[in-house]
Amino acid sequence: MPKIRCNSVFVSGLEKVRLYRGCTSSFCVDSSMDPSSSSSPPFMTKHYPSSNLPRKTKSTVAFLYIISCILVVIIMQPLALQSIHHRPLVSKPRTELTFYPLKDPSVPAYRQPNKTWFMSSFEGHSIDGMPEHFVFPSSHPPRHRILCINAHAESYALAAAKNIFPANATVLRGITFVADSFYDYENPWHSLNALSVFFSWMMENSCAKPTRFVIFEKGKVVKKVGPWISALLKACLGGEVAIDSLEDYGIACFEKAVVMRRGLGKMSTERRHRLFEMIRCKAWKFCNAEKSGEREEEEEDGKGLRITVIGREGKRSFKNETEVKLVMERECKKVEGCRLNLVHLKNKSFCDQVKLMRDTDVVVTTHGAQLSNMMFMAKGSSVMEMFPKGWLEGAGVGQYIYRWFASWCEMRYEGAWRDTQTEAHDCNPPHPRRRSACFSKQKDGQVGINETFLALWTASVIQDRTRAVRSSNVHNNGGSSSFSCPCSV
């Protein structure tokens, strides 16, 4: 019987079977075949001794082995293709959220048109007269993402709405209003600018009210706000709303968040009018600031002119407020029914301030946050503003903010007096580069007056005011408890 020479055959990639006759345990060829023949496979290297099994048994074993090999190839080929072309999406461990700094030092604060350093990965735009804002989760890119904030690390991230949150995350239910400001929230004007814009968003969204505020100053979380803005929020929202510092959470993720970071910037004039009309109405109702029957009769006769001079202590105070009062009072007495009152707001409650301004037709004061109260006056009322020396040269656009605010509240801005006489902190920098340093010394100086100018200015405002009242009643929303405010409780 001829000897059997056997060979194991393997071809990389998909296995390829070459069958040779006389194989018992591997792929084999007849030993009588010439090894140098072209029919002999060149890769046969392994030799196995012949078995003593009968030939029939050998053939059966060989046949079964070949069938097994063919079946293995048939089964493995589609599996190999599937593993290459159809790898399943799996079961890798979820990666942690990517957090970014709330305050991005690489972006100039509030200088780029569509970007700020707060949450700088988002570029915002004013749409339909509404200031730049973001709502999470959003129907716009990035879609269906939930805002998460780590207040301790001063960072933020976006989590997929259906994803698993980090192990130390807490999901806060309801609507969260998130704001950032370059200034502080103790100051009435700066806090009003940063937070009042949310009331406009509410009016556009079925009067949806927040569960909490989360506010930042230059990217750092703020734990509380000043009493004036706190009372205003309560008046406009119909109750207390928490200022949440997030210090009790590792990571806070918000079921719904509305983010404002430019305040009233780029809001349309029409929206501003509606916003401050709402605030005025809410504050009047909250403080029960109704006019007496006597006051209404005086207004109807055009004889009920009330002038309020608001004094300050320290920064930007009148150099001689008694003199200011005497000059203006002398002009007021020339008109029947005109009354003048000099007040300080330092010890007055929020509602005391609202009622005072509700009963004021002309407010006179120096530049400062107390002018935020002008929005509590009736539409068409008048504002007279005074500045320390140096503001015209060094203040930039900041000196015009209350002129603009009067327009937003639909008031009459009656011009401004700019002190040119006071010598305190006087400086005339020889080079423009020193102007800011000079202004820093002047900006909080006292305000002196020119008696002749103040008398003429006061007389002109009183005459214009009296004429306007008699020709058409500039007062409206008479303070009756029957009027309805937007988003009433």
Side-chain angles (χ1 to χ4, degrees), residues 11 67 73 110 245-246 320 336 361 418 474:
V11 179
I67 294 298
V73 170
Y110 307 100
S245 66
L246 307 182
N320 189 336
E336 184 181 358
D361 302 302
R418 300 176 185 278
V474 297

Side-chain angles (χ1 to χ4, degrees), residues 452-472:
T452 303
F453 175 84
L454 182 59
L456 292 173
W457 186 23
T458 303
S460 175
V461 171
I462 290 175
Q463 289 175 7
D464 289 346
R465 175 73 190 177
T466 303
R467 190 181 305 114
V469 170
R470 288 175 176 172
S471 62
S472 60

Side-chain angles (χ1 to χ4, degrees), residues 397-412:
V397 296
Q399 64 190 298
Y400 304 115
I401 188 60
Y402 292 113
R403 177 193 294 267
W404 301 334
F405 188 45
S407 173
W408 302 344
C409 298
E410 299 179 82
M411 306 295 169
R412 294 164 58 94

Side-chain angles (χ1 to χ4, degrees), residues 82-83 86-95 163:
Q82 183 181 16
S83 69
H86 303 282
R87 297 187 185 276
L89 299 174
V90 280
S91 106
K92 315 197 270 187
R94 297 182 185 275
T95 57
N163 207 342

Side-chain angles (χ1 to χ4, degrees), residues 261-297:
R261 56 185 186 178
R262 289 184 184 272
L264 296 166
K266 297 187 177 180
M267 178 182 274
S268 68
T269 299
E270 181 183 356
R271 286 184 183 273
R272 285 181 173 130
H273 287 171
R274 292 204 304 267
L275 169 61
F276 291 108
E277 186 170 358
M278 171 198 177
I279 293 175
R280 178 188 303 118
C281 183
K282 292 277 193 179
W284 285 357
K285 288 186 76 71
F286 179 76
C287 295
N288 194 26
E290 299 180 11
K291 288 185 286 187
S292 66
E294 178 186 356
R295 178 72 170 118
E296 290 177 350
E297 289 177 5

